[in-house]
Each structure stands twice: as structure tokens, then as C-alpha cells.
Amino acid sequence: MPLQTLPIASVVDESITVPADAEQLGAVHAALDRFWQSVERRLGRQADLIERLQFETAVAEIGANIVRYAYPNGGARGAMRLRLRLIHCCAVACFADQGVAFLCPADDEDADDIAPAFAESGRGLDICRAGLSRLRYQRTSTGTNRWLLLKQLQVTPA
Amino acid sequence: MVALQHGATVIRPSGRLDLLSAPDLKQQLVDAVAAGQRYLVVDLAEVPFIDSSGLGALVGGLKAARLAGGDLRIARASAQARVVLELTTLNRVLRPYDEVDDAVADFTDRISG
């Protein structure tokens, strides 16, 4: 059965700004719920469940990443901004924060000899990359961290 | 919430399993193993969302259980939990059972043997 893309003119826009604190991750989930309600009103039907869950999971992972790393222990807690948009046939999430630059974990030659399957950490970005169409990070010249998460959606005919 | 079922320990976390709550679950699992309860079933029926931190807690519990000669199973995983398990291929290590009884039954021979 052929697939259809979303109408080009569809735009949904949902934004929040919250302290980069683990207690505020619930606000990220609430924003995602509102976003998908708006998307489904635009679509006139429910979004594909797996695509929605992959996108939500990735957004939550980056939010947690910012909470965990952007403002190290002992430092002042800043804010993180999240903007969720539906543009053309893509769900787009943009995070911004003024914390320390994110350093992608490099290969660690001294890492414990533990099979990856039994690692207890380090899966967050892999989850994002596997579930998204695109994941990008940028550190601007003004000291802002920007994360772009993009999930291309497909709509099957009713 | 913790319950014993045919020799297996069933642990039922509730709410999101994420950066905030994952350490408590891992500690609960590790404590259970330390108390001699090495066959663990984590009932995820009341966990609507799990992230990499939550997965890490489950893996930590799994390692503790296996080091003690036991094992850990998960049951009643949500659609989101199944998506995360598939994205990480952890569904090969933490195969989700549809029902708690099925996960417990998988332990029966090992517990009675």
C-alpha cells in the first residue's frame, strides 16, 4: 500500500523552558504529550505508535543528558529550552542550554573488559541515533549548546 | 512493591524509570540478591516509560543475579519499553515476557532443581 507524506503546510509548535533538573523531566514528557495531541489533530488520525515512541524516547534521552552533564555537580543550575515542531513530514526537537560543552565519549582504551550487552551506561546517544533520522549537536560561539533531533514520519492511508 | 511467587521474587516498580528513579530500582534489585533472592522478575506493568538509565538499572540487577547463580526476567513491558529494548538490542538479553507467570515459570526448573 503506498505511503503518503504529511501535508506540506502542517506546522505544530510547542516550547518549554525549565530548569535543567531531573525533577523537571516530567515537563519534557508533558510537552511531548501536548505536541503529539496537536500533531494528531493536524493529521486527523493517530500518529504511528512506533515512530512516536522512538521520537519521544530520543527527546527524553537528550533532556536527561543535559540534566546529567550540562551543569556539573556543585555548579549553578541553568535552564534548558525545548522546542517541538512538526515541519513538513518531520517531527523536530531542538534543545538549547547554556551549560558546559558536551563532550562525546571517546573510545576508552582502558575500559573494563565487559561485553557491551552488560554495560550499565553509555546507551543514550545510541538510542537516539537508532530511533531518529538525524541527531546533531552544536556548540555556538556564544556558549550555547544546541541539539537537533529529527524524525521523518510516514503516514499510511486510512 | 515486592512479592514472592513460586520461589521467584517479583518486583513491581511504578512510574517512569529514568535518571531520577533508576538508582533506587538498581539498589532494590542488588539488595534482593544480597538477601538471597537470586531469581528476580521485574514487572513493568506500571512503568510507562524507561530510558537508558532505567535499562542500566535492569542490567545491573541482571548482572548481580547471574553472579549469584540466578537470573532476572522482565514482564509486561510497555510498547515504549519494547521499543527501547529493540533499539539497544537488549531484547536479546532481557527478553520481555507477556505475563509475570510466564517469567516465573521460566525459573521453575532452575529453582526446584
Side-chain angles (χ1 to χ4, degrees), chain A residues 26 29 57 60-61 68 118 120, chain B residues 26 51-53 56 63 80:
Chain A
H29 287 273
T57 299
E61 284 290 346
R68 190 184 288 116
F118 294 96
E120 295 183 41
Chain B
K26 182 185 172 182
D51 70 359
S52 58
S53 298
K63 290 196 303 189
Q80 188 273 338

Side-chain angles (χ1 to χ4, degrees), chain A residues 50 53-54 57 61 117 119 123 126-128 130-131, chain B residues 17 42-44 47 49-59 62 72-98:
Chain A
I50 300 301
L53 294 175
Q54 289 173 340
T57 299
E61 284 290 346
R123 291 189 172 85
D126 288 341
I127 289 172
C128 294
Chain B
L17 198 49
V42 182
D43 182 355
L44 297 175
V47 176
F49 179 88
I50 181 169
D51 70 359
S52 58
S53 298
L55 290 182
L58 292 175
V59 171
L62 172 69
L72 182 148
R73 301 279 187 266
I74 59 174
R76 301 206 285 177
S78 69
Q80 188 273 338
R82 290 175 182 266
V83 163
V84 174
L85 288 166
E86 288 177 12
L87 288 174
T88 56
T89 69
L90 271 176
N91 53 344
R92 302 173 189 175
V93 176
L94 287 167
R95 184 168 71 93
Y97 288 77
D98 289 341

Side-chain angles (χ1 to χ4, degrees), chain A residues 55 58-59 87 89-94 128 131-136 147-153:
Chain A
F55 183 74
V59 172
I87 302 175
C89 55
C90 295
V92 182
C94 297
C128 294
L132 296 171
S133 306
R134 180 179 295 179
L135 174 68
R136 294 181 66 181
W147 291 89
L148 173 68
L149 295 76
L150 191 149
K151 176 74 177 176
Q152 185 145 2
L153 305 176

Side-chain angles (χ1 to χ4, degrees), chain A residues 78-92:
Chain A
M80 65 178 176
R81 300 190 304 277
L82 168 62
R83 187 178 184 188
L84 299 165
R85 289 178 290 171
L86 178 69
I87 302 175
H88 297 281
C89 55
C90 295
V92 182

